[in-house]
Amino acid sequence: MHELQGRSVVLDIWATWCPPCRAEIPHFIELRNAYPISELAILGVSREKRATVESFVRKMQVNYPMAVNEDLPAPFGEVSAIPTTFFIDEKGYIKEVFQGYRDYETLREALVAADRDAIE
């Protein structure tokens, strides 16, 4: 996360077997297309096997990084429901957390609200 400071960050904890998670992926792809990489970082994190995630990423043509990690630091490792999406401002502060599916417009509005100075 330290490397991402200076940008707004959307961190999505998800799984390939989770229907609401799968339904949100196209919205994150659209967000990635809507904002420059210099302003927005999107990162998906799954606790599944790397091969499972890589196959899904190829199939869905995901355009943002996906990580596989079973041992996340707090508060990310304390997620009890997926999808859980964190909106983090350019200084690294968590501004909003969603549990469950959200549509594109809701995700975009949360992103803008999390860091009004960096993205508009």
Side-chain angles (χ1 to χ4, degrees):
M1 291 301 291
H2 178 70
E3 293 176 19
L4 300 176
Q5 282 191 335
R7 293 188 274 174
S8 295
V9 177
V10 176
L11 177 68
D12 182 47
I13 312 293
W14 71 287
T16 61
W17 51 263
C18 164
C21 301
R22 295 170 66 99
E24 275 188 333
I25 297 287
H27 305 320
F28 294 123
I29 291 170
E30 190 174 350
L31 277 176
R32 170 69 285 139
N33 289 333
Y35 297 98
I37 290 175
S38 62
E39 293 181 12
L40 173 64
I42 300 176
L43 178 63
V45 179
S46 174
R47 293 184 171 129
E48 297 173 275
K49 293 182 179 180
R50 181 172 299 279
T52 300
V53 172
E54 287 176 348
S55 175
F56 180 86
V57 166
R58 280 192 301 277
K59 179 181 175 186
M60 294 294 292
Q61 299 179 342
V62 176
N63 60 353
Y64 55 91
M66 292 283 194
V68 175
N69 192 331
E70 291 187 21
D71 188 29
L72 296 171
F76 311 111
E78 298 167 2
V79 167
S80 61
I82 56 173
T84 295
T85 307
F86 294 84
F87 294 84
I88 304 165
D89 73 8
E90 63 184 16
K91 294 177 182 156
Y93 294 106
I94 296 170
K95 295 295 190 169
E96 182 79 57
V97 180
F98 289 152
Q99 286 187 334
Y101 171 84
R102 298 296 193 278
D103 63 22
Y104 173 79
E105 193 57 35
T106 303
L107 295 170
R108 190 190 67 74
E109 287 172 5
L111 175 62
V112 171
D115 200 348
R116 294 204 183 275
D117 295 333
I119 294 181
E120 299 230 39

